[in-house]
């Protein structure tokens, strides 16, 4: 059974994010990110090196959890959670990547601090089915 380009691209992004953010395998991650990677995030320095250098500065406890993932052609959007990276709250991010020739070539993101149940006006968690709890809130 043939995979669609969208399903291949979603799998590629999930594997790339796990390799870099969770496994911290920079040599393997080079296979997923283009050397001419274009970075649009206000939080990350230019290029693949900017991204890798940022991750190297974060605590080894950094965890990335993917949630909903959508793809259209060469674009993938993944809604995920970054936790345990040195800030008092988690980040919920929608990462948008463009893929060309099987590698990530461009990135945009939208990031929010994850709200606790007490902070949520909707009464719904921002990610998954449970609310984040923070040591500072206890």
């Amino acid at each position: 059974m043939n995979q669609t380009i969208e399903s291949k691209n979603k799998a590629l992004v999930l594997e790339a994010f796990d390799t870099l953010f969770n496994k911290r395998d920079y040599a393997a991650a080079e296979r997923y990110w283009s050397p001419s990677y274009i970075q649009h995030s206000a939080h990350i320095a230019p290029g693949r090196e900017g991204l890798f250098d940022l991750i190297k500065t974060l605590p080894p406890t950094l965890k990335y959890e993917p949630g909903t993932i959508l793809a259209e052609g060469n674009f993938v959007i993944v809604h995920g959670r970054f936790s345990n990276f040195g800030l008092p709250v988690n980040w919920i991010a929608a990462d948008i990547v463009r893929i060309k020739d099987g590698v990530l070539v461009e990135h945009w993101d939208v990031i929010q601090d994850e709200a606790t149940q007490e902070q949520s006006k909707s009464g719904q968690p921002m990610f998954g089915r449970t609310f984040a709890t923070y040591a500072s809130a206890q």
Side-chain angles (χ1 to χ4, degrees), residues 33-46:
W33 273 269
S34 169
S36 57
Y37 181 68
I38 301 167
Q39 182 61 260
H40 295 277
S41 176
H43 302 279
I44 307 170

Side-chain angles (χ1 to χ4, degrees), residues 44-111:
I44 307 170
R48 178 173 77 181
E49 293 74 24
L51 174 61
F52 289 12
D53 288 347
L54 171 66
I55 302 307
K56 289 174 185 176
T57 68
L58 298 177
T61 53
L62 167 70
K63 180 179 178 186
Y64 176 75
E65 301 167 79
T68 301
I69 185 166
L70 304 167
E72 184 173 325
N74 289 324
F75 287 90
V76 174
I77 301 172
V78 61
H79 182 253
R81 175 193 281 146
F82 291 90
S83 59
N84 300 315
F85 59 96
L87 291 181
V89 297
N90 301 334
W91 277 358
I92 304 301
D95 287 285
I96 305 157
V97 294
R98 183 170 64 87
I99 297 164
K100 182 177 179 184
D101 300 327
V103 294
L104 285 67
V105 295
E106 198 164 7
H107 170 262
W108 301 260
D109 58 32
V110 180
I111 299 173

